[in-house]
Amino acid sequence: MTTAKKPTTGRQGFKTGEAVVYPAHGVGRITAIEEQEIAGYKLELFVVSFEKDKMVLRVPTAKANSVGMRKLAEPELVKKALDVLTGRARVKRTMWSRRAQEYEAKINSGDLLSVTEVVRDLFRSEAQPEQSYSERQLYEAALDRIVREISTVNRITETEALKLIDQSLQKSPRRGKAEAEAETDGDEAIQEEAA
């Protein structure tokens, strides 16, 4: 009835050869649509390859939308994301562990604007204090996601996409030293309350 691999047919609006965003892994490419029998049921699967991570993911076609797999952002959305980077960082005065969970959720949402907000909020210029290891990890994960998507959408190299992002970040207003100190004092007060 059906073959194991189906060439360039579309399911749920996706087709073979198309670049897509999978929330937990970023930009990948649909290399095939397969049918496999699992536990006696025939399942149609998107085979999504993440070249940079050397990983292949199989996503049931019926679940693609519910797991958050989406098409690449439109160029207008990429422009809007770059504009988000020029805004002022919005750092809540809550404990780092709670903020880290929120940042992680935004990164794994797969939403370009949410991931961009994480990059904007965790960006540190040369004049600002260094980041903690966990801040750096979250920043780099978010940055990697938007670099890959912007480079794919704009058909430019990842290095060129990184330059675009960096230019936007340089336009953002810098937080003053007094503001950074007030934030640190706020964190200490919250930690004391929690103790």
Side-chain angles (χ1 to χ4, degrees):
M1 185 161 76
T2 56
T3 58
K5 285 196 176 193
K6 299 182 180 188
T8 63
T9 52
R11 301 288 185 281
Q12 306 266 341
F14 299 109
K15 60 184 182 283
T16 309
E18 180 178 24
V20 295
V21 176
Y22 189 84
H25 303 294
V27 177
R29 187 164 302 279
I30 298 175
T31 55
I33 299 174
E34 297 179 343
E35 196 170 270
Q36 289 184 355
E37 190 168 311
I38 299 171
Y41 294 99
K42 284 195 185 286
L43 259 181
E44 193 174 56
L45 305 165
F46 288 118
V47 179
V48 184
S49 174
F50 298 89
E51 197 67 35
K52 193 171 180 180
D53 299 329
K54 295 180 175 71
M55 178 176 71
V56 175
L57 190 66
R58 285 175 170 72
V59 182
T61 55
K63 298 266 185 192
N65 289 330
S66 65
V67 298
M69 193 167 97
R70 65 171 173 83
K71 292 181 177 287
L72 289 174
E74 294 295 318
E76 299 83 47
L77 187 62
V78 169
K79 276 184 171 173
K80 191 173 180 180
L82 290 170
D83 287 344
V84 166
L85 293 174
T86 63
R88 182 175 291 282
R90 292 186 180 95
V91 180
K92 294 180 182 173
R93 294 185 188 274
T94 58
M95 290 177 58
W96 167 247
S97 60
R98 190 166 316 239
R99 281 187 290 153
Q101 287 175 338
E102 289 173 13
Y103 290 143
E104 188 80 39
K106 281 184 174 187
I107 292 168
N108 289 328
S109 73
D111 177 57
L112 181 62
L113 294 178
S114 294
V115 179
T116 304
E117 288 171 2
V118 174
V119 171
R120 177 199 63 204
D121 294 350
L122 292 179
F123 172 72
R124 292 276 200 268
S125 70
E126 314 298 311
Q128 291 177 311
E130 285 191 36
Q131 293 173 309
S132 69
Y133 177 77
S134 58
E135 276 182 303
R136 187 89 193 141
Q137 292 295 103
L138 287 170
Y139 173 75
E140 287 175 359
L143 185 62
D144 183 57
R145 296 276 173 89
I146 66 171
V147 163
R148 287 192 203 181
E149 188 158 1
I150 289 173
S151 70
T152 307
V153 170
N154 290 351
R155 292 184 173 90
I156 57 177
T157 65
E158 287 188 10
T159 305
E160 292 169 323
L162 192 56
K163 283 180 186 173
L164 270 178
I165 292 165
D166 197 45
Q167 287 169 356
S168 293
L169 286 169
Q170 295 307 325
K171 292 177 190 172
S172 68
R174 296 286 144 246
R175 290 176 21 209
K177 193 173 184 180
E179 194 176 329
E181 286 174 13
E183 181 183 307
T184 306
D185 293 343
D187 283 349
E188 288 170 2
I190 290 168
Q191 288 172 355
E192 287 172 16
E193 286 173 21

